[in-house]
Amino acid sequence: MEKVIEIQHLSKSFGAHEVLKDIDFSVKKGEVVCIIGSSGSGKSTLLRCINLLEKPSGGQIIYQGENILDNKHDIHSYRTKLGMVFQQFNLFNNHNVLGNCSVGQVKVLKRSKEEAEKIALKYLNVVGMDGYVNAKPKQLSGGQKQRVAIARALSMEPDVMLFDEPTSALDPEMVGEVLKVMKELANTGLTMLIVTHEMEFAKEVSDRVVFMDKGVIAEEGPPKQIFNNPLQDRTREFLKRTLK
Ligand SMILES: Nc1ncnc2c1ncn2[C@@H]1O[C@H](COP(=O)(O)OP(=O)(O)O)[C@@H](O)[C@H]1O
Ligand SMILES: [Mg+2]
């Protein structure tokens, strides 16, 4: 299958602290990959390097056959191809739901307002939030805000969706509605890279699970291998701590 993004020898340091060490990793078209690992293992930094919210210290990010870390590369057009969903939603509080899902399309993709709103409605429908187009973020529950944030990212029609612990800031009773939307998206063939602590979810939706430990990919494989029969002691120890 075609690789959407391929990372080679990626490293990232903050001062003397090497947070990512020689990461090789790729995501194929239509693949759902979950990244698990302890807090501080480098999961968020990896996602942030992939979408260039952080500048990698070394290595390559290959997208459509080119290393996008080459100086000559158009980083802006690359970044529009990646949708990002954060733990803290990051909605625009001064815009209503429809605005949240359409302003980026107009500003960045130069779509007309009319077209952008039509596309926004389509994705608000996918996440079950089309009944709230006029609501402001502060009127929504956490689960609703996160579903709008997902619709906003989808409205840019990216090649890959990146999720960084999308349910970690939610009250427990709202986790299910967001995971349900994400499961539905996974079933549509969307390419997804998801950092999560939701192990049952990871087991169910992933084509592949990546276990990170201290800045390296310690083990990766199908969910059956990682959860039922991990090859590495540190994977086993992490799961024992997490699943108890
Ligand atoms: N902007 C930053 N400046 C300095 N250190 C950072 C920064 N961002 C992350 N780190 C450090 O990098 C390590 C990995 O962090 P992170 O990628 O957030 O881990 P995870 O998402 O797996 O919890 C941690 O030790 C964290 O303190
Ligand atoms: Mg994190």
Side-chain angles (χ1 to χ4, degrees), residues 62-172:
I62 311 291
Y63 173 74
Q64 294 188 338
E66 290 182 56
N67 176 19
I68 55 113
L69 299 178
D70 274 351
N71 286 331
K72 62 176 168 48
H73 203 87
D74 179 5
I75 285 171
H76 291 289
S77 82
Y78 166 74
R79 294 196 64 205
T80 65
K81 299 298 184 185
L82 308 181
M84 182 82 180
V85 175
F86 302 89
Q87 193 174 322
Q88 297 295 346
F89 327 124
N90 296 2
L91 293 178
F92 310 121
N93 289 320
N94 54 330
H95 282 289
N96 65 19
V97 164
L98 192 62
N100 265 279
C101 297
S102 52
V103 287
Q105 297 183 62
V106 173
K107 279 196 183 145
V108 179
L109 302 181
K110 311 295 178 202
R111 288 176 181 157
S112 70
K113 186 162 181 268
E114 194 186 16
E115 189 192 5
E117 290 185 346
K118 202 172 124 201
I119 292 169
L121 261 180
K122 172 176 146 189
Y123 290 107
L124 284 166
N125 180 266
V126 167
V127 302
M129 286 300 291
D130 49 327
Y132 294 81
V133 283
N134 293 315
K136 287 282 181 66
K138 67 168 188 294
Q139 298 170 291
L140 303 176
S141 72
Q144 291 174 327
K145 280 187 222 179
Q146 195 57 300
R147 286 189 283 143
V148 171
I150 293 170
R152 177 178 61 178
L154 289 170
S155 295
M156 302 295 282
E157 301 185 313
D159 288 348
V160 193
M161 284 281 286
L162 309 177
F163 297 83
D164 191 359
E165 296 195 28
T167 60
S168 293
L170 299 177
D171 291 334

